[in-house]
Amino acid sequence: MAIANDDDVLADLGIKPELSRRMGVFGNFAISFSVICILAGGMSLFGFGLGHGGPVVMLGSWVVIGFMTLLVGMSLADVVSAYPTSGGPYFMADKLGGPRWGWVTGWLNLLGLLGAIAGIDYGAAAFAGAFAQMQWGIAPTDAATMLLFGCILLLHGLLNSAGVRLVTVLNSISVWWQLLGVAVIVGALTFAPSEHQSAGFVFTHFHNDTGFTSPFYVALVGSLLAGYTFCGYDASAHVAEETTDAQTSAPRGIVRSIYVSWAAGFVLIAGLLFAMQDYAATQNTATGVPPAQIFLDVLGASGAKALLLVVIVAMLFCGNAEVAAASRMVYAFSRSRALPMWQSWRLVNERTKTPTRAVWLAVIVPFVLALPALWSPAAYGAITAINAVGMTPAYGIPVYLALRRGRDYQPGPWSLGRWRKPVGVVAVAYVVFITAVFCLPQSTPITADSFNYAGVTLVAALLLAWGTWLARGKKAYQLTAANTAQPGEALLGEGF
């Protein structure tokens, strides 16, 4: 199938091109790879994996979840090729299933993106606190972590406001930083220790601190190390209007980001497990970051701090890429009149061709979402849980709707062809399954602090989508009509 001109494709979809199209196929891959960020997810959740099944579950579930995510990504990429817009999943869902499908998908995706920014950048602040404790003996307080979190968000807002060219350069650096970072970390952990764990330990040892007795149940919960990490590859879709040859570049960006992360992440986790010197000490480390304890045990303070800096910088790249993706979602959803004051958030800076106001909204909201961490880690966890339970269903809905359309669905030039149906059916089933697993209790006894709030946040997100549809969406939401808005309207705002 011949690839149509990018702007002609948008015109056929009812969209007036406004953004700067300066991103190529590598840049598109780089933003999704940066958002998945194995050095963020794999490191942040390493301690969770140690207590929820241990090495055999950590590596086994990484293989299985990575493969299933690849199927979902391939199915989503097929639909992205047909609808390469900044709206991503919600635009596809609307085109394939109608306005209500688009509205619900949009709210799930948007809340997931904003929750992801809160989780990523707050995690970067926490890791920076661990570094400060190792370097200067400063014990990080909740208030200090929140202040640093705010500074990181401010930095990401400024970088994203400068334009997509700078974002693309940073994402490209991020790819090599992560891959070389994995190589350096695994290389150091391979050659430095005098003793390593055995292959039998790394590939078969089971460890359970959950309080549940069923190994199968523990394995399900433990698989969330991979489940939470493999999120965010829709970023390639959200920057499609800024990507050349978007009908093929964006789908390739999604698929490549998943399989490269899958391979590199396995090497990283295996390297950490082989080098771990003391299981209990690693779990209960005073740094609060189990991988940092492995670094300390193997390399001493200086080496540990150097590797921790590699991880922190990767997290900063990750958060910056996520802000870029979320701001494009804010811009597109506002273009469809879905958000309060939509006229403001859909404006594009004339100089940088970037939705600058959407960038700052994508920075401010995550800061507000994270504020409960000052009083309750459980409340913070409930809010940021929307990352996975919001984004994952948003990936599955367009795939399901494309399958439902059958022969009426018109694919783009990047297509699974005859494999679309079997791969899509498995992908949708997996999305339903893993979303349910996200909501399972993760430890017992269940208390206010140990309760898994993912299910609650998912229900809250769905109620929010339903309530806003009744209050506003039915009369105001128009998928592409907002493109006719005049710049002057942005100052008027519109009540919700």
Side-chain angles (χ1 to χ4, degrees), residues 392-414:
T392 303
Y395 301 159
I397 290 172
V399 176
Y400 162 73
L401 293 173
L403 290 173
R404 195 177 71 167
R405 289 289 290 268
R407 297 189 179 185
D408 291 335
Y409 168 69
Q410 297 296 319
W414 195 101

Side-chain angles (χ1 to χ4, degrees), residues 36-102:
I36 293 173
C37 193
I38 52 175
L39 283 176
M43 292 292 193
S44 298
L45 294 165
F46 188 82
F48 175 88
L50 291 179
H52 293 73
V56 64
V57 172
M58 295 166 74
L59 288 177
S61 65
W62 189 269
V63 173
V64 175
I65 299 295
F67 176 72
M68 298 306 295
T69 303
L70 184 60
L71 297 185
V72 177
M74 292 169 65
S75 298
L76 183 64
D78 189 296
V79 190
V80 169
S81 182
Y83 304 103
T85 76
S86 297
Y90 98 85
F91 191 96
M92 308 174 215
D94 188 299
K95 283 290 188 180
L96 295 169
R100 282 181 291 185
W101 280 105

Side-chain angles (χ1 to χ4, degrees), residues 406-467:
R407 297 189 179 185
D408 291 335
Y409 168 69
Q410 297 296 319
W414 195 101
S415 172
L416 292 174
R418 62 190 180 92
W419 290 100
R420 181 185 303 111
K421 184 173 182 179
V423 172
V425 168
V426 174
V428 171
Y430 168 74
V431 165
V432 174
F433 172 78
I434 197 63
T435 302
V437 173
F438 283 137
C439 301
L440 293 174
Q442 296 173 357
S443 62
T444 186
I446 298 173
T447 65
D449 289 332
S450 66
F451 184 75
N452 181 8
Y453 290 91
V456 175
T457 55
L458 177 59
V459 171
L462 292 172
L463 289 174
L464 175 64
W466 176 72

Side-chain angles (χ1 to χ4, degrees), residues 4 8 14 74 144 203 205 226 277 285 290 295-296 310 312 316 326 352 377 403 493:
D8 290 343
M74 292 169 65
F203 295 108
H205 182 71
Q277 302 296 298
T285 174
F295 298 160
L296 280 169
V310 171
I312 292 169
L316 294 176
T352 63
L403 290 173

Side-chain angles (χ1 to χ4, degrees), residues 34 42 65 67 72 98 129 177 189 215 220 224-225 258 289 343 354 366 375 401 411 431 457 464-465 488:
S34 297
I65 299 295
F67 176 72
V72 177
W177 184 272
L189 297 182
L220 284 181
L224 295 184
L225 183 157
I258 295 171
V289 179
Q343 301 101 322
T354 297
W375 301 279
L401 293 173
V431 165
T457 55
L464 175 64

